[in-house]
Amino acid sequence: LKLALKQNLFYLVYQPIVDLQTLKTAGVEALCRCDLEALKEIPTEEFISVSEEFGLMPELGNWILTTVTTEAGSKLLSTNPSFSIHINLSPKQLQQKDFIAFVKASLNQLNAKQFVFELSESIMTKEDALLEKYFDDLHQIGVKISLDDFGTGHSSLMLLERSPISSLKLAPKLLHDADSDTQQTTSFETIVKASKALNIIPVAKGIEKKEQLEFLQQHRCDFGQGYYLSKPLKLPQLLTFLEKEKNT
């Protein structure tokens, strides 16, 4: 990991986040990839935690934020004010004393309201006054906060009632279980309804087949992402994808 960062072997791909009613792309999630063969085996969802474990945070996380804003920000956001870019954050980034200033400098001329910072669900179980302050500071500058992989057992919707969370990225396991189990279907529906009651947008992850998309539409989950809708794309591919979508 350290060698890859030093030699600039990391790059970004962007997976569309789709409005499940219109099937139009509403935003993207920026995902980090690496050209080193040994690192290609790290699952996307574990990239942040593995990077933390090996002492690469917050350096890698800051590189991701800077790269997203410089290479993709204006190209993706300038023509569509409702389009959003999701960026995964490490708790170690939040704990930098100059993090908010770094975010402001990175966003520069871009609209902060079009950025969504994703944090692991487990962060909600920690009582940390400094994290709460950073949540408030991010909220003040307009950046939205999303809780990633919700439903993995670390927190409950009740913890979110007075939080600044704007959306929930539902863990793929929730969708996969609901797709095959009646009791889990009820649980999934309850989470979607409860999140909407709190004005928190539910976003499904791991949509892999038509039946799952139809299930989500039936249960009024607002947004989703997964290989059935689109694989992660490099920026030039993404721009072509969005242009074709606009013309259909």
Side-chain angles (χ1 to χ4, degrees):
L1 282 166
K2 291 179 180 178
L3 175 66
L5 187 60
K6 185 177 180 179
Q7 295 186 358
N8 198 28
L9 297 177
F10 289 107
Y11 64 94
L12 297 178
V13 291
Y14 301 85
Q15 185 169 38
I17 297 171
V18 175
D19 182 320
L20 298 183
Q21 301 307 313
T22 66
L23 295 184
K24 297 293 186 181
T25 303
V28 293
E29 179 181 357
L31 299 167
C32 192
R33 296 284 194 268
C34 182
D35 280 332
L36 276 180
E37 194 65 35
L39 299 182
K40 290 180 180 179
E41 301 302 316
I42 301 176
T44 300
E45 63 272 14
E46 295 178 15
F47 212 96
I48 295 293
S49 60
V50 171
S51 299
E52 279 190 328
E53 182 182 346
F54 285 93
L56 220 63
M57 288 297 179
E59 188 177 2
L60 178 59
N62 291 348
W63 175 87
I64 292 171
L65 177 57
T66 301
T67 304
V68 169
T69 54
T70 54
E71 81 169 15
S74 61
K75 293 177 182 177
L76 294 176
L77 304 178
S78 58
T79 59
N80 185 351
S82 64
F83 199 91
S84 61
I85 299 178
H86 290 235
I87 301 173
N88 291 279
L89 287 191
S90 158
K92 290 187 182 298
Q93 286 175 270
L94 278 179
Q95 292 163 356
Q96 295 175 93
K97 65 178 182 179
D98 58 349
F99 179 68
I100 297 302
F102 175 74
V103 170
K104 288 180 178 179
S106 299
L107 297 183
N108 197 10
Q109 303 290 320
L110 300 171
N111 183 358
K113 294 181 179 179
Q114 291 180 270
F115 286 87
V116 182
F117 287 169
E118 296 189 12
L119 288 154
S120 167
E121 179 193 13
S122 61
I123 200 171
M124 295 302 293
T125 64
K126 300 176 182 177
E127 293 186 12
D128 190 323
L130 189 59
L131 287 179
E132 290 182 17
K133 179 184 183 303
Y134 282 138
F135 276 6
D136 290 340
D137 288 343
L138 289 171
H139 187 68
Q140 287 296 319
I141 63 177
V143 174
K144 297 180 176 67
I145 300 170
S146 180
L147 215 54
D148 197 18
D149 278 331
F150 185 84
T152 52
H154 295 293
S155 65
S156 70
L157 283 163
M158 291 184 65
L159 287 173
L160 309 181
E161 192 168 358
R162 289 183 294 275
S163 76
I165 304 298
S166 64
S167 61
L168 292 180
K169 301 289 284 292
L170 305 179
K173 186 178 187 302
L174 289 176
L175 176 59
H176 297 164
D177 289 349
D179 190 38
S180 57
D181 185 295
T182 303
Q183 185 175 351
Q184 294 301 321
T185 297
T186 302
S187 298
F188 186 92
E189 186 175 21
T190 299
I191 291 173
V192 170
K193 287 183 177 179
S195 65
K196 288 189 172 187
L198 294 172
N199 291 317
I200 297 174
I201 299 168
V203 182
K205 293 175 63 177
I207 305 171
E208 297 175 351
K209 54 187 180 179
K210 181 181 179 182
E211 290 78 10
Q212 291 175 332
L213 172 60
E214 292 173 343
F215 171 85
L216 292 167
Q217 291 171 325
Q218 178 186 349
H219 290 86
R220 300 189 179 280
C221 185
D222 296 322
F223 299 94
Q225 66 189 100
Y227 273 69
Y228 179 75
L229 299 169
S230 174
K231 67 179 182 179
L233 304 168
K234 290 186 177 180
L235 185 59
Q237 293 174 298
L238 174 66
L239 295 173
T240 300
F241 175 89
L242 294 174
E243 188 63 28
K244 286 182 179 178
E245 183 181 79
K246 188 170 68 174
N247 295 326
T248 58

